[in-house]
Each structure stands twice: as C-alpha cells, then as structure tokens.
Amino acid sequence: MYPKPHIILGFLFSLLLVLTFSIGISGFLLVFLSSFLIDFDHFMIYYFYRGKLSLKAALKWYDKLEEKTEA
C-alpha cells in the first residue's frame, strides 16, 4: 500500500478508536503514527541497497521487485 492511503486509513482508524474507546490524544497519536511509520524499514532497505533518499524512487523500485516475484 502506498503512503497516502496508509496515512488516511491510519487517521480514520485512530479517530474511530478515540471515539469508541476514549483512548485520548496520546493513544490517537500512537496508533496513527504506528500505522504508517512501521513501514519506514522498507524505505531504509531501499536506501541501504541504492543509497538514495527518494521516496518516489523507492516506490518504483519495490513495484519492479513485486513484478519480478509475480512472474
């Protein structure tokens, strides 16, 4: 999943938890940030192999890897 949907869905899920369970702002932030920052390791793997700090290039690289593994 791309970063934008992760952020949007993470926000909505966190908001739902706040409204349902009253977890407070710290709980909201914890769930929200972990919903997309957990994928940061994928970006770091790309940086390790390619040495570039480009999110767009990393997404293209992973798309190409996915295509190779599906064939």
Side-chain angles (χ1 to χ4, degrees):
M1 188 182 300
Y2 288 99
K4 189 184 272 185
H6 259 286
I7 292 169
I8 293 169
L9 291 174
F11 177 81
L12 293 174
F13 181 68
S14 302
L15 187 61
L16 179 68
L17 288 178
V18 167
L19 297 173
T20 305
F21 298 109
S22 300
I23 60 173
I25 189 71
S26 60
F28 170 84
L29 288 174
L30 181 67
V31 173
F32 173 63
L33 292 174
S34 66
S35 71
F36 64 91
L37 290 179
I38 200 155
D39 287 331
F40 184 70
D41 65 318
H42 297 273
F43 183 67
M44 293 311 298
I45 290 169
Y46 170 76
Y47 176 73
F48 176 75
Y49 282 105
R50 296 301 217 185
K52 298 178 184 176
L53 288 175
S54 169
L55 183 58
K56 185 182 273 189
L59 290 171
K60 287 180 183 179
W61 187 68
Y62 275 108
D63 282 344
K64 287 181 184 179
L65 281 178
E66 188 176 319
E67 287 175 8
K68 287 181 184 179
T69 58
E70 290 178 356

